[in-house]
Amino acid sequence: MIVCSLNNDFNLSRIERYLAIAKEAEVEPVIVLTKADLCDDVDDKYDQVQKLNRMMSVYTVNALDTDDLIALHSYCKNGNTVAFLGSSGVGKLTLVNGLLGFEALKTGGVREDDSKGRHTTTHRTLKLMPLGGLLMDTPGMRELQLSDCEQGVSETFSEIRELALQCRFGDCSHNTEPGCAIQKALTTDLLDERRFASYQKLMREQAFNGATLAEKKAKK
């Protein structure tokens, strides 16, 4: 479960980064948008996230409302392991306590000026949920670097990968080459510029970090 709050923490590019990690690990990503009770444009932000992948499960919740959490119960049954990923202050611990049915972990606040959270969880914990599933909580992340994650990025941006196959040249860099299907999609608004920029950034990052890791291994 990739947790993102609907306050100032809301960031589509960050969600895409988490999705790439999930795809590379071959686990099912579920997006949980928290603090719905504090957001005035819940439906708009929900639609923005759902457009990243129409087949992806996306939920908006008030983590303090047990009725809202019922939608997540199907993931918490015997045989399933649920892991929570997200920045500090997005409400992961509140979700954990809500799904467990008691305050197993203490929650913290967020800074009012930028909605950034404080590190309440400092270690990983594994809990048995009432419905039989296992629940893993992880510390909030300030930074998440990608490495050796080309497949995960490609799957997260599958529509861009499919467009690239339609380019006239197999080694198209998608800049000024004639017959570039991606540039055509950008000019006709079939592809969002933010999304393409996010794809390029993550591909460059994973390639750079992957090469750095390979160099370090080669020196050993």
Side-chain angles (χ1 to χ4, degrees):
M1 293 190 179
I2 298 167
V3 186
C4 177
S5 62
L6 290 166
N7 58 6
N8 293 342
D9 178 77
F10 184 78
N11 187 304
L12 291 175
S13 296
R14 184 184 299 124
I15 292 174
E16 288 167 339
R17 180 177 292 267
Y18 281 115
L19 284 173
I21 291 291
K23 293 290 186 180
E24 188 69 26
E26 299 183 354
V27 298
E28 179 187 1
V30 177
I31 308 298
V32 182
L33 303 174
T34 61
K35 305 187 181 182
D37 55 313
L38 303 177
C39 179
D40 295 327
D41 57 347
V42 173
D43 291 341
D44 177 63
K45 288 180 177 176
Y46 171 89
D47 288 340
Q48 290 181 49
V49 175
Q50 190 68 78
K51 285 179 181 178
L52 299 180
N53 186 332
R54 289 297 184 184
M55 302 302 292
M56 180 172 61
S57 297
V58 182
Y59 300 91
T60 59
V61 302
N62 169 8
L64 293 173
D65 188 336
T66 55
D67 290 337
D68 275 12
L69 301 185
I70 292 176
L72 303 179
H73 285 180
S74 62
Y75 302 98
C76 303
K77 296 179 180 180
N78 186 36
N80 288 346
T81 299
V82 176
F84 285 90
L85 294 177
S87 306
S88 296
V90 297
K92 295 192 306 300
L93 296 187
T94 304
L95 277 172
V96 169
N97 290 336
L99 292 174
L100 289 175
F102 64 96
E103 189 172 355
L105 301 169
K106 291 187 177 298
T107 59
V110 297
R111 299 197 299 258
E112 293 184 1
D113 56 343
D114 58 5
S115 298
K116 297 294 184 182
R118 302 176 177 87
H119 286 287
T120 307
T121 301
T122 57
H123 58 281
R124 295 176 181 85
T125 59
L126 189 64
K127 302 286 186 180
L128 179 65
M129 292 183 283
L131 295 176
L134 293 175
L135 186 150
M136 178 180 290
D137 182 48
T138 60
M141 297 182 183
R142 295 294 191 196
E143 183 178 28
L144 180 64
Q145 291 281 335
L146 300 188
S147 63
D148 293 328
C149 196
E150 182 176 358
Q151 184 63 30
V153 175
S154 294
E155 290 185 18
T156 300
F157 298 87
S158 59
E159 82 282 15
I160 296 177
R161 179 180 59 183
E162 292 173 2
L163 281 171
L165 294 175
Q166 301 173 28
C167 292
R168 181 183 302 177
F169 302 108
D171 60 348
C172 184
S173 64
H174 316 305
N175 292 315
T176 59
E177 293 90 342
C180 175
I182 287 180
Q183 285 300 320
K184 181 180 179 180
L186 288 170
T187 56
T188 57
D189 293 329
L190 293 177
L191 177 63
D192 180 57
E193 290 188 10
R194 181 213 63 81
R195 185 153 169 84
F196 181 54
S198 179
Y199 166 77
Q200 289 182 306
K201 178 181 179 180
L202 294 185
M203 287 296 284
R204 288 194 301 267
E205 181 181 312
Q206 70 85 27
F208 175 79
N209 289 340
T212 301
L213 288 174
E215 290 171 0
K216 289 179 179 179
K217 292 178 181 178
K219 291 179 181 180
K220 290 184 179 180

